[in-house]
Amino acid sequence: MNKSLFSALVSACCITLSPLAISASAPFAIAIHGGAGTIEKSRFTPEQQQAYRSKLKEAVETGYKVLEQGGESLDAVTAAINVLENSPYFNAGRGAVYTYDGSHELDASIMDGRDRQAGAVAGVKHIENPINLARLVMEESVHVMLSGQGAEEFAKEQGVPLVENNLFDTDNRYKALLKAKEKLDKAKATSKEYQAAHRALPVNYKMGTVGAVALDKNGNLAAGTSTGGMTAKRFGRIGDAPVIGAGTFAENASCAVSATGHGEYFIRYNVAADICARVKYQSKTIAQAGDEVINSVLKPIGGTGGVIIVDSKGNISLPFNTSGMYRASKSNTQATYVAIFKDE
């Protein structure tokens, strides 16, 4: 073989095996949610609908841009959730609901699908973007979950500024608190038990979260979830959002999941991890696994909510068992999709 032909073959091989060429054809995808619940068209003005859709679109495209430029799934998830945390429309960050005592307690978690490293914070009151602190817990501490004052002491050590709790005050969330307390007081008139009174609250008072899942060009999955918790919650209640395996899970060998719903059910049924386990061990698609857990496991026992899922091939599934879920997705093979109601 002459030298020129040999050189040409070597060059062709190098081009074919180039990491740049491989990454250019690799799938990448992102999905986000802004909470599930009794979300009905009749309750929205056209302007309100547009405002929610615009913010969902902004969040998913912010995360997608990170992926498109070759960034990591963790960065895409964090960027997308920051957009939602900084909006008063969603129950996370600036839109967080009120506790029974009239303050705000926020939770968040994040997970890296490469090695199942994870970080979470619970019950923080002075952190503007809890998902960022959860990531610092994962990357800069030897722990997985920090709570309350301890989490905020760690934040100060990491140079994260603390903010006043009233940063998260909003009129509509305060009105929701007053309505919830009124309903609780009426329920107490017939039952002195806190549990019975709390069960009398409409389901929408018990849910509301934001989250993101992503696959980057290097084949790495990540998931993150952030929430203000449950309206009128008491006793330092913590839901599924900061619980790894319940509200958040990511593993390259299966999928990435972020959940939204009535957290107590998602904790008891280990929802996020269960979905990925069905994909990994039963060879289910994410659509099959998500539908089974959301509609066949949770729904019959009163567990309301939904999840967003991305797998290692860039497939996306967004199942929920409520009348609506704020959601959006985008991939290198799918245009931006934004929806709120069940029939979209």
Side-chain angles (χ1 to χ4, degrees):
M1 183 182 293
N2 63 51
K3 289 185 178 180
S4 59
L5 178 58
F6 179 75
S7 298
L9 287 172
V10 170
S11 297
C13 289
C14 291
I15 291 171
T16 302
L17 298 176
S18 164
L20 291 175
I22 292 171
S23 65
S25 61
F28 57 98
I30 185 168
I32 66 164
H33 70 76
T38 308
I39 304 169
E40 299 170 348
K41 290 182 182 179
S42 60
R43 299 187 180 187
F44 289 80
T45 66
E47 293 76 18
Q48 287 172 328
Q49 266 202 57
Q50 184 55 47
Y52 275 94
R53 291 180 191 276
S54 294
K55 190 56 65 174
L56 290 167
K57 183 173 186 287
E58 178 189 346
V60 78
E61 292 190 345
T62 295
Y64 183 82
K65 186 175 181 181
V66 173
L67 300 173
E68 189 176 38
Q69 294 174 347
E72 293 192 351
S73 53
L74 283 170
D75 294 330
V77 163
T78 306
I81 291 177
N82 281 166
V83 172
L84 300 173
E85 286 179 330
N86 293 337
S87 168
Y89 298 140
F90 306 100
N91 179 17
R94 288 176 181 264
V97 297
Y98 285 78
T99 66
Y100 188 88
D101 297 323
S103 64
H104 309 275
E105 296 174 356
L106 296 84
D107 312 321
S109 65
I110 194 165
M111 189 167 186
D112 187 342
R114 288 175 291 195
D115 50 11
R116 288 172 61 155
Q117 290 292 312
V121 293
V124 295
K125 297 182 178 182
H126 305 97
I127 304 298
E128 186 170 3
N129 293 105
I131 194 67
N132 297 355
L133 184 56
R135 185 166 176 181
L136 283 172
V137 172
M138 177 179 70
E139 296 177 339
E140 303 296 335
S141 84
V142 296
H143 306 297
V144 170
M145 183 185 292
L146 301 180
S147 68
Q149 184 177 347
E152 294 184 352
E153 287 295 325
F154 172 74
K156 287 192 288 185
E157 285 191 4
Q158 295 298 314
V160 177
L162 302 188
V163 299
E164 294 297 325
N165 193 251
N166 61 15
L167 174 74
F168 310 113
D169 289 356
T170 53
D171 289 340
N172 64 319
R173 299 297 191 194
Y174 186 66
K175 290 175 183 176
L177 171 66
L178 296 180
K179 289 181 181 179
K181 293 181 76 168
E182 182 182 355
K183 291 178 184 295
L184 284 170
D185 290 341
K186 287 181 179 179
K188 284 178 185 176
T190 57
S191 173
K192 300 301 181 182
E193 294 184 8
Y194 171 76
Q195 287 184 332
H198 194 273
R199 289 192 186 105
L201 284 176
V203 69
N204 265 18
Y205 288 106
K206 304 170 186 175
M207 54 207 310
T209 315
V210 307
V213 292
L215 170 72
D216 63 33
K217 291 181 179 181
N218 292 317
N220 295 318
L221 291 163
T225 311
S226 182
T227 187
M230 179 186 291
T231 301
K233 63 182 179 180
R234 300 178 70 183
F235 314 121
R237 178 263 184 186
I238 296 169
D240 66 303
V243 179
I244 300 302
T248 302
F249 194 80
E251 181 185 45
N252 283 2
S254 54
C255 59
V257 178
S258 174
T260 171
H262 191 165
E264 279 67 16
Y265 289 92
F266 283 71
I267 293 172
R268 287 162 52 199
Y269 285 84
N270 202 34
V271 166
D274 186 11
I275 290 171
C276 291
R278 290 168 190 251
V279 171
K280 185 176 182 179
Y281 300 117
Q282 298 179 353
S283 300
K284 299 284 179 68
T285 66
I286 56 172
Q288 291 171 326
D291 177 68
E292 285 176 0
V293 174
I294 295 301
N295 292 305
S296 298
V297 175
L298 286 183
K299 190 173 182 180
I301 50 115
T304 50
V307 292
I308 54 174
I309 319 168
V310 171
D311 69 14
S312 58
K313 297 178 182 177
N315 297 310
I316 299 169
S317 186
L318 314 168
F320 55 98
N321 61 26
T322 55
S323 60
M325 181 170 78
Y326 300 107
R327 59 201 187 277
S329 61
K330 188 171 186 176
S331 76
N332 62 315
T333 60
Q334 176 210 296
T336 303
Y337 166 76
V338 178
I340 299 174
F341 311 110
K342 200 166 188 84
D343 58 356
E344 296 183 83

